[in-house]
Amino acid sequence: MLMVMTDLAPETTLDTLLASRGRSLYLTLDPAPVFAVLHEPPAGTSRTSTGVVLCPPFGWDELCTHRSLRAWADALAAAGHAALRIDLPGTGDSGGSPSDPGRLAAWTEAVAAAADWLRASQECERIVAIGLGLGGMLALRALAGGAPIDDLLLWSVPARGSLLLREMRAFAQITAGETGEAGQANPPALDDGALEVAGFVLSAETVAELEQLDLTTLPLPHAARRRILLLGRDTLAPDRRLRAYFERSGAALTTADGPGYGKLVTHPQFAETPHEVFAHTLSWLAAEPPLTKTAGGAPPARCSVASADHADLRVGEVTIRETPFEFDYHGKRLAGVLAQPTASPASEAGICAVLLNAGAVRRIGPNRMWVEAARRWAALGVPSLRLDAVGLGDSDGDERLYYRTSEFYRHEIAEQVLAALDELESRGLPGRFLVGGLCSGAYWGFHAALADERVRGLILVNLWSFVWSEEIAVARDARRARTLLRSGAWREVARIAVGQGRIGRMVRTKLRSVVGAARSDQDTLAELSDAIDDALGQLRDRRVQTLLLLSLGEPLSEDLRDDGRIDRLAEWPNLQLERIPLEDHIFRPVWAQRHVHSALDEALTRTLRDQPTADRST
């Protein structure tokens, strides 16, 4: 996030934050390279001797906090601190899988390696690790194991892994209830004892190791020379046992509330940057005593961790290469990751895939599915880019725009997709594309395909609508209200009316206006329907292989039924409609993810099969 202004430090401005653009790299750990982003102080900024490693939480919390952690790193860099963000192995853009063995050890090693690399590469005299949730537990575990970490800032960190798991299980039960998957007595678990939490999985081995983890039993070497900042959650105090542990150790301990934590870990679209905590962090760092040596002695002369501008990954028996993909778009940097085959020329398949944000979720896709798909496709010989639009993920821009859902449906974002296609082709990648996304990402892909004949394949997952219109939104709310009124669900109608601004203004006058809201917009809706038919006709005439994949209960399904398009699908032989047998917009259960992966692969196969021979050689 680039929302931090002068409340952080007198010299911190939006311009200095924009100048502090992170540099993506990989820490070459074996067997899973770690994706990292280095934020260096802008030119002209007085650099401090303290570097900061930011350690993310796990799963849904990591998804929600990603932009804020970027903002935190930007703010630290603007204040003179070199800051390094990392994705834990098997998460985000790092190598590996959550099901790989030894996750707890690999995660801890990744934190230690990040601290080691940052200290040596940036010539830092001290390293501070900032950790949220699981990330904080890993930071303390790495320090106890001898990592070159001096001080800790721990936010919402429990003393025991069992407490973290208890919260995860509770959250898993809630999300499973939303999809009708909750068990009668226990939260959902996979057959082998793994834990599924809102689409993210902890293996049975990892669960068992976390159950046994107690931070208060770990050694804290050279405690008297360390500083610890413990933050609670809003008004909830930090973990009592963890506080007592640090007090006994003799470390210089500071505790404080953690205002804004609840808003930090809400839905990615509405997550808010915790400005007050940023300011507190900078003040705490500024008060650091002027020590010139680390708690364990002088900094090492040479870093034991190498870094690279790419990562070679094994996918089955095939090696692929991932590279950060960045380019300028009207003065803003768009960021992504490109997965490419290494055993065959990129042009051999004749197609390059581009996967887009799922709403406000960054380029890794829902439940990290875009990472898995891109790597699998690269192993099949298809270069695959996962891309962040402006203001999302690691791309520049102000994410506050997206607090308004309508901002996801600006035509400018489809233009960003086209700019990415241009950039890929200019770098020698195939000039024919398969574009896919979920929800608003599907919308951008659809309109990019209409504007550019290089798009030969489309994957539209839970597309909200082919066109954006307030009239469509109102008509859908009215349709739902009529259905509920017929069933006598008056309370539900009232709840919808209060909770959704689109129709709230109508309901405040008379409830019957909800029922009749769409009638006054029939002309507009008819024009939109004609435009949709024209657009589908264009894609048909160009033989753009299109997969429309919809979960149960998606509003577009009802639109297709009501406007008669379900009965007319034969008019668009290039369009394949498939259902995800679950009422969940982001298909969190693992079995549903497997169903979607299968559909994605089939869509890729159809696109490749339909390409003329001449295209495949270009």
Side-chain angles (χ1 to χ4, degrees):
M1 294 181 178
L2 299 178
M3 297 163 55
V4 185
M5 299 294 284
T6 53
D7 57 328
L8 297 180
E11 69 278 8
T12 305
T13 67
L14 183 59
D15 288 339
T16 58
L17 289 179
L18 286 171
S20 175
R21 295 180 172 182
R23 174 168 63 89
S24 299
L25 55 94
Y26 294 90
L27 303 178
T28 55
L29 301 185
D30 186 36
V34 169
F35 181 83
V37 181
L38 174 65
H39 298 249
E40 296 183 82
T45 301
S46 177
R47 181 184 286 258
T48 76
S49 62
T50 300
V52 181
V53 175
L54 292 100
C55 310
F58 178 79
W60 179 257
D61 285 354
E62 190 277 332
L63 207 66
C64 300
T65 59
H66 180 82
R67 261 316 255 202
S68 287
L69 287 177
R70 171 186 162 149
W72 209 337
D74 283 339
L76 289 163
H81 303 283
L84 186 71
R85 293 186 286 126
I86 64 170
D87 288 343
L88 299 173
T91 75
D93 289 308
S94 286
S97 163
S99 62
D100 291 341
R103 289 298 81 188
L104 189 59
W107 292 340
T108 305
E109 181 186 3
V111 173
D116 190 9
W117 183 86
L118 184 64
R119 180 187 295 277
S121 68
Q122 300 298 302
E123 300 181 345
C124 298
E125 294 180 359
R126 292 182 71 84
I127 295 293
V128 176
I130 295 178
L132 281 68
L134 175 65
M137 301 183 79
L138 299 172
L140 178 51
R141 195 170 187 267
L143 188 159
I149 296 172
D150 299 279
D151 305 325
L152 296 172
L153 189 160
L154 306 179
W155 194 2
S156 184
V157 175
R160 291 173 290 183
S162 58
L163 295 177
L164 181 70
L165 289 170
R166 182 187 304 171
E167 289 191 4
M168 288 183 174
R169 290 186 175 108
F171 186 51
Q173 184 68 50
I174 293 171
T175 57
E178 293 173 353
T179 61
E181 295 251 322
Q184 294 297 316
N186 299 306
L190 305 183
D191 292 340
D192 64 354
L195 179 63
E196 175 191 308
V197 187
F200 296 88
V201 175
L202 289 171
S203 70
E205 178 191 59
T206 304
V207 169
E209 288 185 328
L210 285 174
E211 286 282 9
Q212 299 302 313
L213 179 59
D214 185 344
L215 298 180
T216 66
T217 66
L218 299 177
L220 190 65
H222 309 285
R225 299 168 65 177
R226 301 188 185 280
R227 302 173 69 237
I228 312 294
L229 175 58
L230 280 185
L231 298 178
R233 302 187 208 176
D234 295 309
T235 58
L236 185 66
D239 185 287
R240 176 178 52 82
R241 293 182 75 251
L242 195 59
R243 175 174 180 166
Y245 162 75
F246 285 122
E247 288 174 340
R248 290 193 304 270
S249 73
L253 174 66
T254 303
T255 62
D257 293 335
Y261 187 83
K263 294 180 179 179
L264 173 69
V265 295
T266 189
H267 190 283
Q269 180 181 351
F270 304 109
E272 297 183 15
T273 307
H275 301 288
E276 190 173 343
V277 167
F278 287 5
H280 193 163
T281 300
L282 293 178
S283 296
W284 180 74
L285 287 170
E288 175 188 343
L291 300 179
T292 58
K293 292 187 177 181
T294 70
R302 182 183 304 172
C303 179
S304 61
V305 181
S307 62
D309 61 1
H310 66 271
D312 289 337
L313 307 170
R314 294 288 293 178
V315 180
E317 299 301 316
V318 179
T319 298
I320 68 167
R321 174 164 292 181
E322 288 203 335
T323 309
F325 185 91
E326 299 175 350
F327 66 98
D328 179 80
Y329 177 77
H330 299 312
K332 291 184 172 63
R333 180 190 57 175
L334 294 190
V337 172
L338 177 64
Q340 294 181 267
T342 58
S344 59
S347 61
E348 189 170 294
I351 283 286
C352 185
V354 178
L355 297 170
L356 306 169
N357 299 102
V361 174
R362 73 182 192 278
R363 59 181 178 256
I364 65 172
N367 316 306
R368 202 180 178 235
M369 290 183 65
W370 290 179
V371 175
E372 298 172 11
R375 291 175 179 174
R376 188 170 64 249
W377 293 354
L380 294 173
V382 178
S384 300
L385 171 68
R386 43 191 194 270
L387 178 70
D388 288 324
V390 165
L392 299 173
D394 284 332
S395 289
D396 291 342
D398 187 348
E399 75 286 347
R400 289 174 296 182
L401 284 173
Y402 300 107
Y403 290 174
R404 299 187 301 274
T405 299
S406 61
E407 293 299 322
F408 282 104
Y409 297 92
R410 291 174 292 132
H411 285 290
E412 176 200 349
I413 305 182
E415 294 170 4
Q416 295 169 31
V417 177
L418 300 181
L421 305 190
D422 292 340
E423 184 68 20
L424 286 164
E425 191 169 11
S426 73
R427 298 188 188 188
L429 277 297
R432 303 292 184 269
F433 298 95
L434 167 66
V435 180
L438 181 145
C439 196
S440 57
Y443 180 88
W444 309 333
F446 179 74
H447 286 273
L450 291 176
D452 196 319
E453 294 189 1
R454 291 176 297 176
V455 178
R456 298 298 184 87
L458 269 177
I459 295 176
L460 310 176
V461 184
N462 284 340
L463 176 67
W464 185 85
S465 176
F466 293 105
V467 295
W468 169 260
S469 167
E470 282 288 338
E471 287 80 9
I472 291 177
V474 170
R476 287 175 174 177
D477 286 333
R479 177 175 61 204
R480 185 180 178 191
R482 287 195 298 271
T483 300
L484 292 169
L485 287 171
R486 283 195 295 268
S487 67
W490 290 89
R491 290 183 180 179
E492 178 67 8
V493 173
R495 186 188 66 79
I496 296 171
V498 172
Q500 300 195 29
R502 291 192 300 265
I503 63 174
R505 59 184 177 272
M506 295 182 292
V507 176
R508 281 193 294 270
T509 55
K510 292 183 179 179
L511 185 58
R512 65 175 177 270
S513 63
V514 178
V515 181
R519 295 171 186 162
S520 62
D521 297 315
Q522 288 304 313
D523 291 343
T524 300
L525 292 172
E527 292 174 3
L528 292 173
S529 181
D530 291 343
I532 292 170
D533 279 351
D534 288 344
L536 294 176
Q538 289 181 47
L539 298 180
R540 175 198 59 213
D541 296 343
R542 286 168 34 205
R543 294 177 56 186
V544 178
Q545 291 300 313
T546 303
L547 169 65
L548 181 57
L549 185 61
L550 299 175
S551 296
L552 301 180
E554 286 293 312
L556 182 57
S557 294
E558 297 182 10
D559 290 351
L560 295 173
R561 180 200 64 203
D562 289 355
D563 61 22
R565 285 195 178 88
I566 289 289
D567 299 326
R568 298 166 50 208
L569 286 178
E571 295 181 21
W572 306 287
N574 63 309
L575 174 63
Q576 180 152 344
L577 173 63
E578 295 187 24
R579 306 285 187 175
I580 306 169
L582 179 76
E583 289 194 28
D584 185 5
H585 191 62
I586 56 174
F587 30 88
R588 287 163 287 190
V590 171
W591 67 263
Q593 294 176 33
R594 292 171 181 158
H595 179 96
V596 173
H597 275 302
S598 177
L600 297 180
D601 289 349
E602 291 174 4
L604 174 64
T605 299
R606 286 193 298 272
T607 301
L608 290 172
R609 187 172 56 230
D610 196 58
Q611 296 311 301
T613 303
D615 283 348
R616 299 185 189 185
S617 62
T618 58

